[in-house]
Amino acid sequence: MSSVTPHLSIFEYFSLSLVLVESLWSAALVLLKTPLRRDKGHRDLTTQIAFAKAKIQNEKLSARQLQWLNPPTEEVYLKLAEAQRFQPTTVALAHNTKAHWIGSSGADSIMVFFHGGGYVKPATTQLDLLWNIKKSMPQTFSICLMSYTLAPSAQYPFQLRQTVLLLKYLIVDQGKDAKRMILCGDSAGGNLILGLLSHLQHPHPSIPTLTVPEPFLGAALVSPWGGVSTSAPSFARNEENDSINGAILRRWATYFMDGAPADNYYQPFLAPGDWWKGLNGVVQALLITAGTDEVLLDGIAEFVTTIKTVFPSTTTFFAPREFHDQPFMESLDDNDERSMAGTNTAVGQPKPARKRPEEVREHEVGASYYTPNHLSPVATPITQQQLLGAPSLVPDPASHVRLINPKTVAKTGDAIRLTEAATMRFVRSKTSVPVPEVIDAFVQPETNHPCILMEYIHGRPLDQVWDTYSELQKEHIKGTFIGSVDGTCCADQFFDGEDNTSYGPYDSETAFNNGLVRALEARGRNTWTESVVKFIRAMPEHGIVFTHNDWAPRNILVRDGHVVAILDWEFSGFYPDY
């Protein structure tokens, strides 16, 4: 059960010890293979090592052993209440169902949260993020966390029955208003929500019916687990980038299902579009998120395509380079020392290493401009087929710029950086420089290439019309500008050599100059390079300014003698003012 730590036998303790040793050895192998990693696995080595440990443990430990390693949901909840000094309130319902309140149980606006963990693990790190959400909301908002019975102590559809029981308690017994209620779940919790929404439209034959007077305000599904199949291409494509794999999910599905025949309640991704036609009668809007590095990506993307045909009030966000359920893993403190096996939510992931460069903080650039993971949600994903069918606007084979419709341009390709979209948004909001409006920025699930959707602006490149302009027109067009954004490594073409090392970001001009020297010497040392190195070393300090860094007539769009847009911001960033 979710509130009791199981007692292990001597044999279970012994096999647990062997697996823990094996997981440490697996982590050591990742460290030893570091020079050979190249682009394989997670970009952060510490995270990749934690992934290796978690995969071994989750693949080979039984559900009972995993539950022994993880503190029960109720215990984690009580520790949170003690640490944050709020009064814990737990309501015990039938069938061992429990509702833990973060905030007042008398609140008007409620988020009902269903935790992930493959139905075999309790809630752990999710509570950190839930507390942060509660702190950022008004006093009239509270979070109700459901503690359900874990598999294999209880199996499908027992957890769905507990979900219906909780919602009946809130809506019928307590008189809570569904239209002021948001359902939220990560991984297996997202699976529970989809099962609930199915039950509200098509009552499950073995579960009591539930009628909601008005649709729920919304449902948010973070990396939802929607089926037991592990044959989607993303399972192979992202296996080394994610902290779960097909073997883990198949093992957990066995604990949860116990041979139950497939249906649309616990395998919602298999449901046809017609199954969801009544969705607008039970929920006002859906938000579905996933990371582009997770193994479930293709299944989630296919489900989004299906459900949007019958429920347009669906917003999706495919977060670039994020692994499974990453938002709920980022809430761990940097000094959290709990083991991977004891902190796993839907899978077993650590807090990913994501440090914002000092350069960005000094120039007061908000996170929404810094990281592509916080660009706006994808309202209308563009498929590869749509891109290939759209007319091309530039001949560059590495940068596909296509006219999607009379008002929208898509720019994609393996050479595109999502930082360009963040830069454009910052410049547009903080300066008077004419920049196309960014509509969306995301990574295409089909190609894993960044894609930027932006406003189409009619005009011609300056280099094509410069000779036709009068001197007065030329004077009007000339000009400079400054801003501040970026925060990733230097994208200047000077650093593109045989040495593939990332350069920067740097915290001083001295460090930047050392990078220049390193890039220069990577091309070969001779008398000329030695002279240039001496010159660089002797340069005085300069002011740091924001620059476009690819300022050329081809990137200046004009119409009727006026600049209407500055294009191609992928090389922009902070550089010495010389």
Side-chain angles (χ1 to χ4, degrees):
M1 299 197 295
S2 61
S3 58
V4 178
T5 299
H7 295 286
L8 302 184
S9 66
I10 298 283
F11 175 77
E12 286 175 314
Y13 277 120
F14 178 71
S15 62
L16 171 63
S17 301
L18 293 180
V19 172
L20 292 180
V21 170
E22 184 180 354
S23 68
L24 292 174
W25 173 242
S26 177
L29 285 179
V30 171
L31 190 60
L32 291 173
K33 294 178 180 178
T34 299
L36 306 176
R37 287 182 71 216
R38 299 185 179 273
D39 294 330
K40 294 182 178 180
H42 195 276
R43 58 195 179 279
D44 176 62
L45 179 59
T46 302
T47 304
Q48 185 64 21
I49 290 173
F51 282 3
K53 292 169 59 180
K55 285 179 180 177
I56 291 295
Q57 294 173 22
N58 290 329
E59 281 183 27
K60 299 192 174 184
L61 292 178
S62 69
R64 283 169 47 81
Q65 290 169 320
L66 290 172
Q67 290 161 20
W68 182 86
L69 286 172
N70 285 269
T73 297
E74 186 168 4
E75 180 181 325
V76 178
Y77 168 72
L78 292 175
K79 287 183 177 179
L80 176 72
E82 180 181 5
Q84 303 301 338
R85 298 181 180 178
F86 68 84
Q87 180 64 39
T89 302
T90 297
V91 179
L93 304 174
H95 304 301
N96 196 43
T97 309
K98 292 184 178 180
H100 304 297
W101 287 92
I102 302 176
S104 171
S105 60
D108 296 326
S109 301
I110 302 170
M111 174 195 286
V112 186
F113 186 78
F114 306 90
H115 71 82
Y119 289 106
V120 301
K121 291 185 175 181
T124 51
T125 58
Q126 293 100 324
L127 275 73
D128 297 315
L129 180 56
L130 294 180
W131 172 249
N132 289 332
I133 293 173
K134 166 56 186 167
K135 286 194 302 182
S136 68
M137 300 297 287
Q139 289 295 320
T140 54
F141 172 88
S142 287
I143 298 173
C144 179
L145 164 68
M146 185 179 88
S147 176
Y148 55 83
T149 306
L150 300 177
S153 295
Q155 295 166 317
Y156 173 79
F158 192 83
Q159 292 81 2
L160 182 55
R161 180 179 292 108
Q162 291 178 299
T163 300
V164 172
L165 181 66
L166 173 64
L167 269 299
K168 178 181 178 297
Y169 164 75
L170 292 173
I171 298 172
V172 179
D173 299 344
Q174 297 297 308
K176 301 296 184 182
D177 194 346
K179 69 176 183 291
R180 303 193 66 176
M181 197 177 294
I182 294 175
L183 310 175
C184 181
D186 65 312
S187 195
N191 181 277
L192 264 181
I193 292 175
L194 290 173
L196 171 67
L197 296 179
S198 290
H199 176 67
L200 293 174
Q201 301 171 81
H202 316 278
H204 192 288
S206 63
I207 296 177
T209 59
L210 174 66
T211 302
V212 291
E214 296 182 85
F216 291 105
L217 178 61
L221 315 176
V222 180
S223 297
W225 184 23
V228 300
S229 173
T230 58
S231 61
S234 54
F235 276 89
R237 184 175 70 247
N238 287 334
E239 174 150 3
E240 295 193 47
N241 301 323
D242 205 356
S243 56
I244 57 172
N245 55 32
I248 294 170
L249 292 178
R250 288 191 296 270
R251 184 180 180 92
W252 290 351
T254 301
Y255 288 126
F256 169 61
M257 293 187 313
D258 190 31
D263 63 32
N264 295 337
Y265 301 94
Y266 80 86
Q267 297 206 67
F269 287 3
L270 298 181
D274 288 347
W275 178 264
W276 305 104
K277 279 189 174 179
L279 201 55
N280 59 353
V282 296
V283 68
Q284 297 179 36
L286 281 181
L287 170 64
I288 303 174
T289 74
T292 62
D293 275 1
E294 66 172 287
V295 294
L296 295 178
L297 177 63
D298 289 354
I300 295 172
E302 185 175 345
F303 173 69
V304 165
T305 301
T306 298
I307 204 164
K308 277 194 171 185
T309 61
V310 294
F311 191 69
S313 300
T314 301
T315 300
T316 56
F317 179 28
F318 297 108
R321 300 299 303 273
E322 289 199 359
F323 50 80
H324 179 69
D325 202 19
Q326 183 164 328
F328 283 97
M329 299 302 99
E330 293 181 329
S331 56
L332 285 177
D333 295 331
D334 290 327
N335 62 354
D336 198 307
E337 297 178 352
R338 289 176 286 180
S339 70
M340 281 291 295
T343 60
N344 304 340
T345 168
V347 283
Q349 305 124 315
K351 179 179 181 180
R354 178 182 291 171
K355 297 180 180 178
R356 186 170 303 164
E358 290 299 324
E359 293 93 324
V360 179
R361 287 202 294 269
E362 289 172 0
H363 290 270
E364 299 180 351
V365 179
S368 59
Y369 298 109
Y370 166 65
T371 170
N373 290 359
H374 292 88
L375 297 177
S376 69
V378 182
T380 308
I382 302 298
T383 66
Q384 182 68 2
Q385 185 177 1
Q386 287 175 292
L387 281 171
L388 295 178
S392 177
L393 298 180
V394 298
D396 185 359
S399 178
H400 303 289
V401 181
R402 307 218 175 226
L403 186 64
I404 301 302
N405 59 48
K407 295 184 178 181
T408 309
V409 171
K411 182 176 182 180
T412 186
D414 56 4
I416 302 303
R417 302 172 69 229
L418 286 177
T419 299
E420 179 178 1
T423 302
M424 293 170 65
R425 281 181 165 161
F426 180 80
V427 172
R428 184 178 174 89
S429 66
K430 300 297 183 182
T431 76
S432 60
V433 177
V435 177
E437 179 183 2
V438 174
I439 301 169
D440 276 314
F442 52 94
V443 174
Q444 278 188 284
E446 298 162 292
T447 63
N448 212 30
H449 291 165
C451 181
I452 302 172
L453 298 184
M454 66 185 79
E455 167 194 16
Y456 174 66
I457 297 179
H458 176 67
R460 297 182 64 188
L462 183 60
D463 59 346
Q464 294 181 11
V465 297
W466 181 257
D467 292 338
T468 68
Y469 282 175
S470 66
E471 290 301 317
L472 182 61
Q473 287 175 314
K474 291 179 180 178
E475 286 298 324
H476 177 78
I477 290 173
K478 292 178 182 178
T480 60
F481 69 93
I482 51 177
S484 56
V485 76
D486 208 2
T488 57
C489 62
C490 296
D492 191 285
Q493 298 179 56
F494 178 84
F495 295 109
D496 291 339
E498 294 181 1
D499 183 359
N500 292 323
T501 305
S502 294
Y503 292 87
Y506 301 102
D507 57 9
S508 67
E509 185 174 357
T510 299
F512 172 75
N513 289 342
N514 290 337
L516 289 177
V517 170
R518 186 158 55 92
L520 191 63
E521 291 181 340
R523 294 174 167 83
R525 304 188 63 169
N526 52 46
T527 304
W528 179 81
T529 58
E530 291 177 358
S531 300
V532 175
V533 167
K534 290 180 181 178
F535 175 77
I536 293 174
R537 299 284 193 203
M539 285 196 300
E541 290 288 321
H542 299 80
I544 305 300
V545 297
F546 174 72
T547 177
H548 180 277
N549 212 23
D550 193 16
W551 192 263
R554 67 179 181 276
N555 291 329
I556 304 172
L557 209 60
V558 297
R559 184 173 65 240
D560 299 330
H562 294 79
V563 175
V564 292
I566 307 299
L567 308 177
D568 287 350
W569 293 83
E570 62 262 44
F571 297 124
S572 60
F574 296 112
Y575 291 96
D577 56 18
Y578 62 80

